């Protein structure tokens, strides 16, 4: 048994790489100048198979046995050239019109053997058959195989005086089968490579689409958080500032208290903004090597939220029902943001003496949030037009299979009701 050394194996790497680069350059040149390769094939066939016949006078040269010479007819040079041209020249369009090229070559082949002549240029028939298997239609290939079988039978009969019909048919049909098999193998391989390239391109497109979708989702999430934080706290600050300016001349102590509340609200808003923006930083991008994180607000923070709204001049009545502390952090954050947005809208549009009733009810797998005020001096928005706040609340509720409804009440106030589905697996991707 012959052993292969490590040096032989390691030396195959650069060789394979050079062959691969050479094949790539050849394919590139073929795409740029497609006629060059076809012409090169014709020239090569002429030099290897046509020229020897012209020099030696056909395949029945002086070295052939006598019985082999007697099986063929001698052709003049002019006739030989005509037949060789009919066999070789159609190879120029073997890739663009493989069926036409094969048909012309097969017809010339049959005429040649009907005259009893044998030429080395007959190899063109197998080249055309290979090209048809590679570039043509499979239905055309089946017809071509039948035509080749008939042609091979004609050749076997013509050489029966020198070679038995069975041996001749075996050799000729084996050669034709090899040409077809090689063409189909290359065709299948090219189809596989094309499929892999298409799949790679499709995966790249899908990856880019997922990236863009994730970016858009994250932007929406951050915009929603920023809207909730900035909108609520600015509304509170504006209300406190107006109340403080009014109370400064009448009750300076209340004006000072309003200023202190404005400072507390601003610091709270700044802390929440830092938390939201901190998660957008890359690891190691900040001075401490990571984003500054703090717990997201939840049910327990609603008391402080109501206190801030009360300080702004509204009366808030807050109650809960059910085991609200057992809710997961995602549900609690959703509840907090919906309540925050609802109270912010009330703070923007409510009269100074407005009372707000806030209720959070947990019943089995259902959570209900109700925010109802006793009156407002303006409507939350023009008819049939929804602000970003209500859209944001509905987006948050939809994450848990719920919905939000809002509208005026019979007493002249405004009501917001959100229902969330707490069934495991009912929420979307969060």
């Amino acid at each position: 048994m012959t052993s292969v050394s490590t040096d032989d194996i390691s030396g195959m790497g650069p060789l394979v790489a050079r062959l691969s680069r050479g094949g790539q350059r050849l394919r590139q040149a073929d795409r740029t100048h497609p006629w060059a390769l076809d012409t090169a094939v014709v020239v090569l066939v002429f030099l290897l198979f046509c020229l020897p016949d012209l020099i030696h006078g056909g395949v029945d040269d002086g070295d052939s046995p006598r019985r082999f010479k007697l099986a063929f007819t001698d052709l003049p040079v002019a006739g030989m050239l005509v037949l060789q041209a009919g066999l070789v020249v159609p190879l120029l369009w073997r890739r663009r019109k493989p069926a036409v090229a094969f048909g012309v070559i097969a017809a010339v082949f049959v005429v040649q053997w009907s005259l009893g002549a044998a030429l080395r240029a007959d190899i063109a028939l197998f080249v055309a058959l290979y090209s048809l298997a590679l570039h043509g239609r499979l239905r055309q290939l089946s017809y071509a195989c039948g035509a080749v079988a008939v042609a091979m039978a004609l050749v076997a009969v013509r050489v029966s005086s020198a070679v038995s019909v069975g041996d001749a048919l075996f050799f000729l049909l084996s050669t034709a089968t090899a040409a077809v098999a090689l063409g189909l193998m290359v065709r299948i391989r090219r189809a596989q490579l094309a499929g892999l390239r298409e799949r790679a391109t499709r995966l790249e497109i899908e990856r880019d689409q997922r990236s863009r979708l994730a970016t858009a989702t994250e932007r929406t999430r951050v915009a929603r958080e920023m809207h909730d934080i900035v909108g609520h706290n600015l509304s509170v600050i504006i209300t406190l500032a107006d109340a403080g300016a009014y109370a400064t001349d009448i009750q300076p102590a209340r004006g000072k208290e309003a200023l202190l509340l404005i400072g507390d609200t601003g610091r709270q808003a700044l802390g929440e903004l830092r938390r939201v923006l901190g998660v957008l930083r890359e690891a190691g991008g900040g001075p401490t090597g990571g984003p500054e994180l703090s717990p997201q607000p939840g049910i327990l923070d609603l008391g402080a939220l109501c206190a801030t709204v009360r300080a702004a001049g509204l009366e808030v009545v807050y109650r809960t029902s059910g085991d609200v502390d057992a809710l997961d952090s995602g549900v609690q954050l959703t509840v907090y943001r919906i309540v925050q947005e609802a109270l912010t809208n009330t703070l923007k549009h409510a009269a100074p003496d407005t009372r707000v009733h806030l209720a959070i009810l947990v019943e089995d797998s259902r959570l209900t949030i109700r925010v109802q005020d006793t009156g407002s001096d303006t409507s939350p928005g023009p008819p049939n037009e929804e602000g970003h706040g209500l859209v944001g609340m509905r987006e948050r509720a939809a994450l848990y299979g719920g919905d939000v409804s809002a509208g005026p009440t019979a007493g002249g106030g405004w009501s917001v009701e959100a229902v969330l589905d707490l069934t495991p697996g009912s929420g979307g991707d969060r």
Side-chain angles (χ1 to χ4, degrees):
M1 180 180 297
T2 304
S3 61
V4 180
S5 64
T6 306
D7 295 338
D8 294 337
I9 296 176
S10 61
M12 293 176 64
L15 177 60
V16 173
R18 286 194 295 270
L19 291 176
S20 178
R21 288 193 295 269
Q24 292 177 356
R25 286 193 293 267
L26 181 61
R27 286 191 294 270
Q28 180 62 31
D30 183 43
R31 286 192 293 267
T32 306
H33 306 286
W35 284 97
L37 181 59
D38 295 333
T39 305
V41 170
V42 172
V43 172
L44 184 62
V45 172
F46 175 79
L47 293 177
L48 294 180
F49 301 100
C50 297
L51 195 58
D53 284 346
L54 295 175
I55 295 175
H56 301 292
V59 297
D60 53 336
D61 51 23
D63 296 332
S64 302
R66 178 176 176 80
R67 59 173 182 165
F68 193 67
K69 293 180 181 180
L70 295 176
F72 302 111
T73 302
D74 292 331
L75 291 175
V77 176
M80 189 180 300
L81 282 174
V82 171
L83 291 175
Q84 287 179 345
L87 291 171
V88 176
V89 171
L91 293 178
L92 287 173
W93 60 84
R94 64 183 181 87
R95 292 189 296 176
R96 293 159 189 80
K97 297 182 178 180
V100 175
F102 174 82
V104 173
I105 293 174
V108 175
F109 181 87
V110 172
V111 171
Q112 169 208 324
W113 280 97
S114 299
L115 298 175
L119 298 174
R120 291 182 175 88
D122 290 339
I123 192 69
L125 179 67
F126 300 109
V127 176
L129 185 62
Y130 160 82
S131 300
L132 182 60
L134 177 58
H135 303 289
R137 299 178 181 177
L138 296 180
R139 179 178 298 180
Q140 296 173 344
L141 180 61
S142 61
Y143 297 148
C145 290
V148 168
V150 174
M152 294 302 104
L154 173 63
V155 174
V157 172
R158 295 293 299 182
V159 300
S160 59
S161 60
V163 182
S164 66
V165 174
D167 293 341
L169 278 177
F170 175 78
F171 173 77
L172 295 172
L173 293 179
S174 297
T175 306
T177 301
V180 173
L182 181 60
L184 292 177
M185 182 186 69
V186 176
R187 181 175 188 154
I188 293 172
R189 179 60 177 169
R190 289 183 179 179
Q192 290 175 342
L193 292 177
L196 290 175
R197 285 192 292 267
E198 181 182 357
R199 184 172 182 270
T201 303
R202 186 171 62 252
L203 289 176
E204 290 180 359
I205 295 174
E206 292 176 356
R207 180 198 62 192
D208 295 339
Q209 290 176 343
R210 287 195 298 268
S211 177
R212 288 193 294 269
L213 181 60
T215 301
T217 303
E218 184 63 15
R219 286 177 178 174
T220 303
R221 186 192 69 81
V222 172
R224 192 166 53 222
E225 292 286 333
M226 296 287 288
H227 174 271
D228 292 340
I229 295 171
V230 176
H232 169 75
N233 289 287
L234 282 181
S235 297
V236 173
I237 289 173
I238 291 171
T239 304
L240 289 173
D242 293 340
Y246 176 77
T248 298
D249 298 332
I250 302 175
Q251 295 179 330
R254 294 297 300 272
K256 180 180 179 180
E257 180 183 355
L259 292 176
L260 293 176
L261 289 174
I262 289 174
D264 293 338
T265 303
R267 281 187 289 272
Q268 178 184 356
L270 183 60
E272 293 187 7
L273 287 175
R274 283 176 176 173
R275 182 188 65 248
V276 172
L277 298 178
V279 298
L280 301 179
R281 301 175 185 171
E282 296 180 356
T288 59
E292 300 175 3
L293 302 176
S294 61
Q296 293 276 26
I299 299 294
L300 295 178
D301 298 292
L302 287 178
L305 178 65
C306 292
T308 303
V309 176
R310 292 189 188 101
L314 298 182
E315 182 180 354
V316 181
V317 179
Y318 169 46
R319 69 183 181 91
T320 62
S321 175
D323 190 5
V324 295
D325 295 332
L327 300 175
D328 63 62
S329 58
V331 176
Q332 292 198 32
L333 175 61
T334 300
V335 172
Y336 182 90
R337 293 305 186 197
I338 291 176
V339 171
Q340 184 184 49
E341 181 61 35
L343 292 178
T344 299
N345 290 336
T346 301
L347 194 61
K348 289 179 181 178
H349 304 287
D353 57 347
T354 297
R355 170 178 292 187
V356 181
H357 295 274
L358 168 62
I360 299 177
L361 311 176
V362 178
E363 301 172 350
D364 298 330
S365 61
R366 178 188 177 93
L367 186 148
T368 304
I369 306 170
R370 292 194 184 97
V371 182
Q372 182 176 350
D373 60 66
T374 57
S376 59
D377 51 10
T378 58
S379 61
N384 301 325
E385 180 178 339
E386 295 183 354
H388 295 290
L390 185 57
V391 173
M393 285 190 285
R394 283 178 174 165
E395 289 177 352
R396 291 184 180 278
L399 294 176
Y400 291 91
D403 194 10
V404 176
S405 59
T409 60
W414 191 266
S415 175
V416 176
E417 181 172 327
V419 179
L420 306 182
D421 185 3
L422 304 181
T423 304
S426 64
D429 296 336
R430 295 181 287 275

